[in-house]
């Protein structure tokens, strides 16, 4: 049914255009063709933005909505690492950043950057694990100027 109605889809840099067959749409919805011109098309236009995520490209609708298939592995890995490292510190398994970096087999600078994510609000943490966040959210965006205020973090979602 859909393949008969949708004639073509055009994705431009800033717009999504969907061309529908007027005759097929009328036939499926009303059971009859209302127009004598069977080549008439209905055009739907939606402003979009395009965001690259590694090798994937995400289309973001003008309302900011972007349906995610699955959580983003790099974000999930980073927030889970931060929580684990925070637990190590609280439990006394590591005493400072040097020990943490050595135990995790990472450099100190990277460990410091990721450890900041231990301060994520529970809502943002859950949103990242579920993949229910802004498609523009990346590890570097998240760690660049992470606010400790959970209300400000809510805006990053």
């Amino acid at each position: 049914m859909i393949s008969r109605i949708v004639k073509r889809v055009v994705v431009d840099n800033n717009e999504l255009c969907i061309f529908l067959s007027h005759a097929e749409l009328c036939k499926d919805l009303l059971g009859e063709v209302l127009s004598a011109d069977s080549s008439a098309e209905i055009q739907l236009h939606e402003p979009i933005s395009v965001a690259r995520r590694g090798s994937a490209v995400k289309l973001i609708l003008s309302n900011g909505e972007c349906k995610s298939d699955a959580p983003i592995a790099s974000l999930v890995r980073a927030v889970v690492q931060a929580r684990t490292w925070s637990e190590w510190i609280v439990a006394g398994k590591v005493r400072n950043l040097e020990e943490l970096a050595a135990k995790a087999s990472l450099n100190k600078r990277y460990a410091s950057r990721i450890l900041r994510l231990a301060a994520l609000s529970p809502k943002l943490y859950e949103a990242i694990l579920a993949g229910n966040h802004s498609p523009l959210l990346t590890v570097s965006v998240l760690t660049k100027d992470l606010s400790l205020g959970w209300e400000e973090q809510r805006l990053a979602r």
Side-chain angles (χ1 to χ4, degrees), residues 52-54 72-82 85 109-117 120 124 128 133-146:
R52 285 204 155 290
R53 307 297 255 120
I72 298 166
S74 60
L75 274 173
V76 170
R77 183 174 44 255
V79 298
V80 169
Q81 273 181 329
W85 296 348
R109 185 174 171 198
Y110 177 79
S112 172
R113 203 175 110 220
I114 297 302
L115 186 58
R116 293 179 205 147
L117 299 179
L120 285 181
L124 184 53
I128 289 169
H133 54 79
S134 165
L136 301 176
L137 191 62
T138 63
V139 173
S140 36
V141 165
L142 201 53
T143 58
K144 187 174 183 184
D145 289 317
L146 180 64

Side-chain angles (χ1 to χ4, degrees), residues 4 9 16-17 29 34 40-41 48 51-53 57 60 66 82 90 107 111 122 127 142 155 157:
R4 284 193 335 266
V9 176
L16 172 69
C17 302
L29 294 177
L34 299 178
E41 288 183 332
I48 60 167
R52 285 204 155 290
R53 307 297 255 120
V57 175
I60 305 163
C66 176
V90 170
N107 70 49
L142 201 53
L155 301 175
R157 278 183 57 196

Side-chain angles (χ1 to χ4, degrees), residues 3-81:
S3 61
R4 284 193 335 266
I5 295 172
V6 177
K7 290 302 176 192
R8 68 180 181 220
V9 176
V10 177
V11 180
D12 199 356
N13 284 337
N14 57 3
E15 186 176 54
L16 172 69
C17 302
I18 302 173
F19 298 86
L20 308 173
S21 165
H22 184 268
E24 291 295 331
L25 188 60
C26 287
K27 190 163 63 172
D28 280 358
L29 294 177
L30 305 173
E32 61 184 83
V33 177
L34 299 178
S35 171
D37 183 8
S38 63
S39 66
E41 288 183 332
I42 299 170
Q43 296 180 20
L44 304 174
H45 299 270
E46 177 69 25
I48 60 167
S49 300
V50 178
R52 285 204 155 290
R53 307 297 255 120
S55 62
V57 175
K58 297 275 186 180
L59 297 181
I60 305 163
L61 301 179
S62 60
N63 65 0
E65 201 174 299
C66 176
K67 297 297 180 197
S68 231
D69 306 3
I72 298 166
S74 60
L75 274 173
V76 170
R77 183 174 44 255
V79 298
V80 169
Q81 273 181 329

